[in-house]
Amino acid sequence: MRFGSRLAVNLDFLGENIDSLKKLCPQNNIIFMVKANGYGHGIVEVVRYALKKGINEFGCATLAEAVNLREQIPDQQFEIYVFSDFNLNIEAEGDLFLEKRIIPVITNEHDLKIVLSNQKYRFFPLCLKFNTGMNRLGMSWDKSGEIADLIKSNGRDSVFHVMTHMACASQSHREHPLNIKQRERFDEVKESLKSRGLTIESTSIANSGTIEQGFGLEETHIRPGLMLYGPSSLDESIRHLSKWNGKIISALETEIIKVRSIKKGEPVGYGGTTATKDGQLAIITLGYGDGLSTNYGNSEMFFKEYTGNIFGRVNMDMAQILFPADADIKEKSTIQIWNEDPSRFLKLSKQTQMIPYELFCQISSRVPRVYLESRDS
Ligand SMILES: Cc1ncc(COP(=O)(O)O)c(C=O)c1O
């Protein structure tokens, strides 16, 4: 566990993002995606806070994440969906879904048949995901008629939720051919289920990139992840189309444990990278063991009015930042790798060549998560 570094999660900012999202999509119910430990921010704290803000449906990737969430927050009612990692062939896993009231997102006919043919699942909500072009998980969109017949022939006449997932949500929804095709195919899926007499209780198609562009809001639900943690997920070329202006809910903070003046030509760190100019070298207590990967090499870092760059090799436990020679940098100062400013965060994403999702998720458990919340929230 780190002493000098922390991921400070500002729950008030999460609250502001939730309020902004509700303004943007007043008609939609929200399934808040909290997989991968709440995109690195701490699933339990994020969900507890979101519940206070009136969100009561959440998306996990694995059954274990879902069970943990249910067990950590036993005192409140909310829905949990598991999107990918579970195995209904294992009897005990199926029982966990029942016992803990967790909804599996069914993505293949094999699982669907298990649910339809087994008496113990007779009240199980059918949540179906269709593949409309992403070609990852999901039942094929052009088999929706057969799937509807299978459901009807097993005595069910309603489906709890029907969804699909967009492959290119960060690209234009108006112009990108796959985005247009996926939406058309999803409409066909819904039509085909309805035309065979199935009632569809709820539907969703939109993740952050889709919501940001104002698409997919005709469905009952939206499934935002990234945007609620702050950043836009749109490709830089179309970011101007985004209706989103979120605050990054976390600040990655670290301590400067050593400052040394360095002369042009002197070696720095492992491999002895040669300083190309005189400067003030700040050693920070974050390295790749904490999730500050070698991709951070050369990225811009800010302290007071000074701009420096990660210099030389990132180590397991430390990294070096080279500031200008006249910079007033003191040992024991705190420096923020990112903060609530989305443009700074997205610049870091570009410089490190890591998508925002990755920047968040790779912060390791060695970095303590600290939660900030105003008293009146
Ligand atoms: C099925 C599904 N829906 C919604 C999301 C949320 O996506 P985003 O974080 O881009 O909003 C994800 C995340 O990958 C997902 O897998």
Side-chain angles (χ1 to χ4, degrees):
M1 183 67 92
R2 283 297 194 180
F3 290 103
S5 302
R6 62 183 197 161
L7 187 76
V9 180
N10 190 319
L11 294 170
D12 293 336
F13 293 167
L14 174 60
E16 288 176 33
N17 290 347
I18 291 172
D19 290 342
S20 304
L21 181 65
K22 284 183 174 171
K23 262 194 209 125
L24 205 59
C25 315
Q27 317 289 355
N28 300 99
N29 295 308
I30 298 170
I31 299 175
F32 182 7
M33 299 303 289
V34 293
K35 56 190 185 168
N37 196 26
Y39 288 40
H41 292 87
I43 187 169
V44 173
E45 292 78 1
V46 162
V47 168
R48 266 195 196 285
Y49 188 83
L51 283 164
K52 281 204 263 179
K53 296 291 295 182
I55 294 182
N56 51 21
E57 295 178 70
F58 299 92
C60 292
T62 76
L63 179 57
E65 288 173 350
V67 169
N68 172 53
L69 194 53
R70 192 57 97 215
E71 286 176 353
Q72 296 293 319
I73 311 181
D75 51 333
Q76 302 207 44
Q77 281 204 359
F78 56 95
E79 304 297 351
I80 312 175
Y81 300 76
V82 181
F83 278 80
S84 50
D85 191 0
F86 58 86
N87 186 351
L88 289 181
N89 283 322
I90 300 172
E91 187 90 18
E93 288 213 7
D95 290 346
L96 268 179
F97 279 106
L98 290 166
E99 264 168 47
K100 304 280 179 192
R101 277 192 42 81
I102 294 168
I103 302 167
V105 176
I106 295 173
T107 63
N108 59 73
E109 284 180 57
H110 176 80
D111 283 351
L112 181 60
K113 282 178 186 159
I114 292 180
V115 169
L116 290 174
S117 62
N118 196 323
Q119 263 300 95
K120 73 179 175 190
Y121 297 129
R122 65 191 181 285
F123 299 122
F124 219 52
L126 287 181
C127 177
L128 308 181
K129 187 175 181 188
F130 283 89
N131 171 27
T132 53
M134 186 166 189
N135 295 330
R136 194 176 60 176
L137 297 181
M139 292 176 281
S140 187
W141 65 279
D142 55 0
K143 289 214 174 133
S144 48
E146 290 163 42
I147 288 159
D149 291 341
L150 178 67
I151 295 170
K152 290 281 291 181
S153 66
N154 277 276
R156 297 247 201 165
D157 47 22
S158 96
V159 174
F160 172 65
H161 194 104
V162 179
M163 66 170 71
T164 193
H165 192 42
M166 305 300 289
C168 300
S170 62
Q171 304 295 329
S172 167
H173 274 264
R174 210 170 290 287
E175 288 171 15
H176 194 287
L178 187 53
N179 284 338
I180 295 168
K181 197 174 268 183
Q182 282 198 264
R183 289 202 308 275
E184 286 169 0
R185 287 172 172 175
F186 190 54
D187 285 341
E188 284 183 41
V189 167
K190 289 181 292 179
E191 256 330 294
S192 131
L193 298 187
K194 279 188 212 153
S195 70
R196 282 165 172 82
L198 283 174
T199 306
I200 303 175
E201 291 174 43
S202 55
T203 57
S204 64
I205 189 170
N207 62 340
S208 295
T210 313
I211 300 163
E212 281 181 66
Q213 296 179 62
F215 280 78
L217 308 187
E218 62 285 0
E219 311 300 336
T220 59
H221 284 64
I222 51 175
R223 302 191 311 268
L226 189 72
M227 65 195 301
L228 283 176
Y229 303 96
S232 165
S233 67
L234 296 193
D235 188 82
E236 202 179 358
S237 60
I238 60 153
R239 210 169 283 151
H240 59 280
L241 297 177
S242 179
K243 299 172 194 287
W244 185 242
N245 189 17
K247 270 190 189 158
I248 308 299
I249 70 163
S250 55
L252 179 59
E253 299 179 339
T254 185
E255 190 185 25
I256 297 174
I257 50 168
K258 178 78 188 163
V259 178
R260 62 171 76 243
S261 297
I262 205 93
K263 292 276 173 230
K264 182 177 172 182
E266 284 188 320
V268 172
Y270 283 124
T273 310
T274 307
T276 49
K277 56 186 178 192
D278 293 355
Q280 292 284 85
L281 195 69
I283 314 297
I284 59 169
T285 57
L286 280 176
Y288 57 77
D290 306 288
L292 194 96
S293 72
T294 53
N295 282 49
Y296 277 75
N298 220 29
S299 315
E300 278 178 344
M301 295 287 138
F302 304 94
F303 182 74
K304 297 185 194 160
E305 67 270 38
Y306 310 109
T307 304
N309 295 81
I310 301 277
F311 190 76
R313 279 194 210 160
V314 173
N315 314 173
M316 188 183 289
D317 314 299
M318 286 176 269
Q320 307 84 220
I321 309 173
L322 188 58
F323 284 102
D326 61 351
D328 177 22
I329 313 274
K330 295 263 187 310
E331 286 174 8
K332 303 279 176 223
S333 310
T334 297
I335 182 163
Q336 294 182 319
I337 308 299
W338 70 67
N339 62 13
E340 76 269 17
D341 178 1
S343 56
R344 181 169 153 187
F345 187 83
L346 290 170
K347 197 172 178 192
L348 186 64
S349 158
K350 191 173 175 183
Q351 291 178 344
T352 55
Q353 296 187 311
M354 285 190 292
I355 53 176
Y357 304 81
E358 203 177 346
L359 286 179
F360 282 146
C361 288
Q362 74 174 6
I363 301 307
S364 75
S365 56
R366 191 158 79 151
V367 179
R369 273 65 174 167
V370 176
Y371 297 91
L372 314 171
E373 183 181 354
S374 60
R375 276 164 188 273
D376 51 355
S377 64

